[in-house]
Amino acid sequence: MKAELLVSTETLAEHLADPDWIVFDTRHDLAYPGKGREAWKAAHIPGAYFMHMDEDLSGAKTGTNGRHPLPEIADFAARMNRCGVAPGRQVVVCDDGGGSFAVRLWWMLRWLGHDRVAVLDGGFAAWKREGRPLDAAVPAPREGAFEPKPMLGATVDAHYVAAFRESPKVRIVDARAATRFMGENETLDPVAGHIPGSLNRFWQHNLGYDGRFLPPEELHAEFIELLGDADPALVVHSCGSGVTACHNLFAMELAGLPGSRLYPGSWSEWCTDPARPVATGAK
């Protein structure tokens, strides 16, 4: 296990009183957007700040930029600074959905230059199951020194995807469940299907039965089977709205396959333009 990417519940428990450790809770429910905040108010890891997927980790929607467009960098940086994020401080992110939302914040911080950020392996569910301390107090604001420095090339847009989706060197990996990828059981977006030429790896396949990430060597073997000899730097991650796509990106990093990129708009952006092609079925 790579300590810089994953933190165990045991390690976090040892650092709860460490002022150089900051915890973020990103619990969320796409069908009930207020559920995560309500759950956090009821009980959370002591000192954990709450970040809402729609309000804090996404920006304004235009109708053509997807369901969870990236927020304005200055706005996001201000939120991080109110919570004490600063160079040298360890950030830990968690949710109660296998990391499916926490990875968005993990990716955003890494994208903007803060490398000391890790996902809590097993998340809030493991923390609670193990009987570790919980709190309902709202943590006080802290002074941070986070200065965002966007990593060039970390994202691609719809124009890039349109231009390179048929390239034999580029791989587009879709993190949605197989049924949605195939164009079945679509309940979130107005058009069903996937970007032609993309591959499907459901993000939950990165987890074991206990909700923790699979061992790096197992993830490595599975991604190599999916991607062949593709250069990780030419792998683009997509999903419904650029959130669970980060789960596959994180898993590749954990597997020792760093450098893949995110298509933030993902399917919810792609499908808004009727001129863009749509595929259904397994391929």
Side-chain angles (χ1 to χ4, degrees):
M1 181 172 67
K2 296 186 178 181
E4 71 272 17
L5 296 176
L6 283 174
V7 163
S8 68
T9 51
E10 293 83 0
T11 299
L12 179 57
E14 293 170 359
H15 287 87
L16 279 184
D18 190 333
D20 284 331
W21 280 54
I22 302 164
V23 182
F24 286 107
D25 187 322
T26 63
R27 282 177 282 175
H28 190 64
D29 188 326
L30 292 174
Y32 180 15
K35 185 176 181 180
R37 179 178 281 113
E38 291 175 5
W40 172 80
K41 286 181 177 179
H44 52 258
I45 296 170
Y49 294 96
F50 182 72
M51 286 288 136
H52 193 282
M53 180 56 60
D54 298 327
E55 299 167 15
D56 299 311
L57 304 182
S58 302
K61 292 185 283 189
T62 65
T64 59
N65 63 349
R67 285 183 282 108
H68 291 107
L70 295 177
E72 293 294 330
I73 292 176
D75 293 341
F76 174 74
R79 294 183 185 105
M80 294 296 101
N81 278 313
R82 287 194 294 269
C83 300
V85 176
R89 289 179 178 168
Q90 177 66 55
V91 174
V92 179
V93 296
C94 73
D95 59 33
D96 60 356
S100 56
F101 297 108
V103 288
R104 167 77 166 224
L105 179 51
W106 170 86
W107 179 86
M108 290 177 67
L109 282 168
R110 296 257 300 209
W111 165 52
L112 295 176
H114 189 87
D115 291 334
R116 291 200 65 185
V117 54
V119 173
L120 179 63
D121 203 14
F124 182 80
W127 183 272
K128 185 177 180 181
R129 186 171 61 247
E130 294 166 3
R132 300 191 183 276
L134 297 171
D135 199 351
V138 177
R142 296 178 58 187
E143 184 177 353
F146 174 61
E147 296 183 4
K149 299 174 183 176
M151 184 189 307
L152 295 177
T155 66
V156 304
D157 58 16
H159 298 292
Y160 178 96
V161 174
F164 291 101
R165 64 180 180 80
E166 295 181 324
S167 168
K169 294 182 178 181
V170 174
R171 304 285 192 278
I172 301 170
V173 180
D174 190 318
R176 293 176 297 165
T179 51
R180 288 188 65 207
F181 178 82
M182 292 188 291
E184 304 168 4
N185 194 33
E186 180 56 70
T187 60
L188 295 172
D189 294 308
V191 179
H194 61 265
I195 299 167
S198 56
L199 306 171
N200 183 218
R201 177 178 171 84
F202 186 28
W203 65 268
Q204 289 188 18
H205 292 167
N206 300 322
L207 305 172
Y209 290 111
D210 60 357
R212 290 180 167 87
F213 278 84
L214 296 174
E217 58 273 14
E218 192 170 337
L219 289 169
H220 186 277
E222 292 184 6
F223 275 101
I224 291 299
E225 182 179 0
L226 176 70
L227 302 171
D229 60 356
D231 181 347
L234 294 178
V235 174
V236 173
H237 294 282
S238 177
C239 59
S241 61
V243 178
T244 56
C246 297
H247 207 278
N248 279 340
L249 193 155
F250 177 89
M252 283 188 63
E253 294 280 333
L254 190 63
L257 299 168
S260 56
R261 295 183 282 177
L262 178 68
Y263 172 29
S266 288
W267 179 249
S268 59
E269 176 186 68
W270 181 268
C271 72
T272 61
D273 186 345
R276 295 180 185 135
V278 172
T280 55
K283 294 184 178 180

